[in-house]
Amino acid sequence: MKHSDTIVAIATAAGIGGIGVLRISGASALDIANQLLGRMPKPRHAHYATFRDHDGVTIDHGLLLSFPAPHSYTGEDVVELQIHGSPIVLRQLQARVVELGARLARAGEFSERAFLNGKLDLAQAEAVADLISSGSVAAANAAMRSLDGEFSRRVQALLTAVIRQRVWIEAAIDFPEEEIDFLADTRLQQGFAALNAQTDELLESARRGLRLNNGLHAVIIGRPNAGKSSLLNALVATDRAIVTDQPGTTRDVLRETIDLDGIGLTLVDTAGLREAADRVEEEGIRRTHDEMTRADLTLLVTESLVTESPHRLSDDDLLLRYPLQPNSSLIIHNKIDRQGTAPHREIINGTTHLWLSAKTGEGLDQLIEELQRRAGKFDDHEGAFTARARHVIALERARDHLRAAAAALEISKAGELAAEELRQVQHAFGEITGEFHSDDLLGEIFDSFCIGK
Ligand code: GDP
């Protein structure tokens, strides 16, 4: 796709004293460079230049580099101006470039053009944003791998295999007299088995990549006075949550994000789980449900269950109202300082229980270690790449259609149906790399970028 307009943006978060970069891309980028420099720039050479406003007054001295199409980030003619990192000077030079024929770029517009010009696929373009916003070395390395095309290559490999299966099945449909033999060929079944396994594997990696990208999202629930706020405070080690003896102070949802050795962990303290006596409480309960649905992990804080049999947990009101999944929940037995219990960890019926005191801090280390483990801190990040929720959803869809295609063949020898299912698989994989995309999706993705990227 050819863009006739030329865009400009400040491409650095201009810190005083640092280098400021202005990026220009589009059909008149070289012409603008010519006017700024007083001659045509040499491709990929650093020219020392004096940048002036329209009255000839010097804005700044700096470097001008040009990257003629198609060998540039966007695939268009690109010019970069490096000057002093003063926001004022950068804006002055940007205004001059606009005067010379460019317009201000929208957020993510350079990367969007790179995508539309085939320089990056969609998953790679998304990795640019993930790299910039990465909160840990592991996440940055993983985003770099996605940007290098690690994730896209694996998707492409699966896509090729899917097309091969589809061609086979469609050929069988075209030769009805041989259809049954074609469809019963064991190589076809083996192809499906391999595809299924590889898709599952990629889905697992993408889920890990998503977690690496997003961090862990945990929500703290528990009855009033169980010590939720105290626990949150102990973890965050600040006084953001209100701690009080009066039940019902935490009316609203309070969020706090902490960094556990580079892995983001969002704690959400919700309105106490009281009977919905008034509308605010009802709203709190509704939000708690919402938060739990979105969270990776639910921390149930309790003090009353310490002396009870663990098997009675399921009788508890709270658990009836908020059923917990064993692999995505932790039960925190708080206030062990009152019970005289030592801090410890136990797995009961598949659910992890931890005994600690939010007040004295005993057992808190164990909780932090547990959270880090859940956040993937001890996972092997070797070869990991970052992924986004939409990738995981597309892979899940691909997996479901693959299973349906295999079943259509195996159970009913329905070639047409299997071919249609495979077309859906192909579509789902293609959505990840952007082979199939809507303008809405592009808007959603690139609008969340920063200006100048
Ligand atoms: P929330 O309603 O669940 O948020 O509970 P809070 O964090 O406000 O705590 C309720 C009361 O229990 C406060 O008086 C806290 O000081 C107290 N508390 C919280 N954790 C502990 C603990 O581990 N040991 C003791 N002894 N008291 C605690």
Side-chain angles (χ1 to χ4, degrees):
M1 186 181 300
K2 267 274 156 285
H3 291 271
S4 54
D5 55 348
T6 300
I7 52 173
V8 61
I10 297 168
T12 39
I16 307 284
I19 292 177
V21 177
L22 220 61
R23 183 180 275 166
I24 311 166
S25 177
S28 27
L30 293 177
D31 178 52
I32 293 170
N34 186 11
Q35 294 189 65
L36 286 170
L37 198 62
R39 65 194 149 100
M40 241 358 210
K42 241 170 96 179
R44 288 175 295 283
H45 267 71
H47 293 272
Y48 183 68
T50 299
F51 302 116
R52 298 175 201 278
D53 68 13
H54 65 279
D55 296 324
V57 177
T58 301
I59 299 172
D60 200 358
H61 307 287
L63 296 179
L64 184 152
L65 297 106
S66 66
F67 307 91
H71 305 294
S72 69
Y73 179 66
T74 57
E76 304 173 333
D77 289 337
V78 168
V79 172
E80 283 192 6
L81 311 177
Q82 295 185 5
I83 56 168
H84 292 106
S86 144
I88 307 282
V89 175
L90 275 164
R91 249 177 255 134
Q92 246 185 309
L93 186 56
Q94 179 173 261
R96 176 71 184 135
V97 172
V98 168
E99 228 171 46
L100 293 173
R103 68 161 171 82
L104 297 183
R106 291 189 308 271
E109 206 173 354
F110 291 95
S111 301
E112 184 173 6
R113 287 185 177 201
F115 165 66
L116 293 171
N117 291 324
K119 300 297 280 189
L120 294 172
D121 69 32
L122 209 47
Q124 287 175 301
E126 289 170 303
V128 173
D130 295 341
L131 179 67
I132 294 165
S133 65
S134 56
S136 66
V137 173
N141 289 347
M144 198 59 229
R145 256 179 237 112
S146 289
L147 180 54
D148 279 344
E150 171 71 25
F151 182 29
S152 306
R153 270 191 295 278
R154 288 178 65 180
V155 173
Q156 283 299 345
L158 284 173
L159 200 49
T160 309
V162 168
I163 293 170
R164 208 180 304 130
Q165 294 287 92
R166 204 181 140 189
V167 166
W168 184 316
I169 293 167
E170 281 172 2
I173 298 167
D174 290 343
F175 296 98
E177 62 282 3
E178 293 169 46
E179 185 175 343
I180 300 297
D181 292 343
F182 255 63
L183 297 182
D185 195 309
T186 53
R187 277 173 297 171
L188 194 60
Q189 323 300 331
Q190 282 161 5
F192 271 116
L195 257 173
N196 270 326
Q198 285 157 9
T199 305
D200 283 348
E201 213 175 285
L202 189 59
L203 180 58
E204 228 6 83
S205 306
R207 283 194 182 126
R208 275 200 301 275
L210 179 64
R211 209 165 52 171
L212 203 54
N213 219 6
N214 289 356
L216 188 77
H217 181 184
V219 23
I220 303 179
I221 67 166
R223 282 188 288 197
N225 271 331
K228 300 179 297 297
S229 309
S230 306
L231 182 67
L232 184 69
N233 276 348
L235 281 170
V236 176
T238 67
D239 272 332
R240 288 280 298 275
I242 310 159
V243 185
T244 167
D245 278 319
Q246 193 78 44
T249 31
T250 321
R251 287 216 149 188
D252 208 345
V253 173
L254 184 139
R255 294 171 165 280
E256 190 75 60
T257 297
I258 61 172
D259 192 292
L260 286 173
D261 293 340
I263 291 169
L265 173 78
T266 306
L267 293 167
V268 181
D269 184 15
T270 59
L273 301 166
R274 290 161 294 271
E275 285 308 315
D278 62 34
R279 281 196 50 238
V280 180
E281 303 283 287
E282 239 172 77
E283 178 66 10
I285 289 170
R286 193 187 58 74
R287 286 200 206 173
T288 304
H289 267 290
D290 288 356
E291 290 292 346
M292 282 176 69
T293 316
R294 277 200 298 272
D296 303 303
L297 187 66
T298 299
L299 272 59
L300 169 68
V301 182
T302 171
E303 59 171 321
S304 59
L305 302 169
V306 177
T307 51
E308 292 173 9
S309 146
H311 303 291
R312 290 193 51 206
L313 274 180
S314 57
D315 296 336
D316 200 279
D317 279 0
L318 195 126
L319 289 163
L320 277 178
R321 191 180 288 162
Y322 300 100
L324 298 180
Q325 303 297 323
N327 54 2
S328 62
S329 50
L330 279 182
I331 303 208
I332 313 276
H333 301 269
N334 190 29
K335 310 194 186 182
I336 55 167
D337 55 306
R338 277 197 194 157
Q339 321 282 337
T341 316
H344 65 290
R345 175 180 188 267
E346 251 180 67
I347 295 175
I348 302 167
N349 297 332
T351 304
T352 305
H353 293 240
L354 288 168
W355 279 260
L356 55 80
S357 163
K359 194 169 193 168
T360 65
E362 284 173 283
L364 212 60
D365 280 355
Q366 246 175 344
L367 170 62
I368 291 175
E369 197 186 306
E370 183 75 34
L371 292 174
Q372 286 174 323
R373 187 169 27 246
R374 305 275 180 144
K377 163 129 200 290
F378 308 115
D379 288 359
D380 182 8
H381 295 308
E382 182 82 33
F385 54 82
T386 48
R388 293 185 164 198
R390 72 164 198 98
H391 303 148
V392 169
I393 292 167
L395 285 171
E396 284 168 351
R397 224 178 38 246
R399 176 203 55 196
D400 293 346
H401 285 296
L402 251 181
R403 302 254 148 90
L409 275 192
E410 208 169 311
I411 299 159
S412 44
K413 301 277 176 276
E416 297 268 6
L417 198 60
E420 171 54 25
E421 292 290 349
L422 285 181
R423 205 183 59 77
Q424 299 288 344
V425 178
Q426 210 177 323
H427 202 279
F429 283 141
E431 273 175 28
I432 296 175
T433 54
E435 211 167 299
F436 302 107
H437 66 261
S438 65
D439 288 347
D440 283 354
L441 176 67
L442 292 193
E444 213 173 281
I445 291 173
F446 291 106
D447 286 353
S448 66
F449 275 53
C450 31
I451 304 256
K453 294 293 177 297

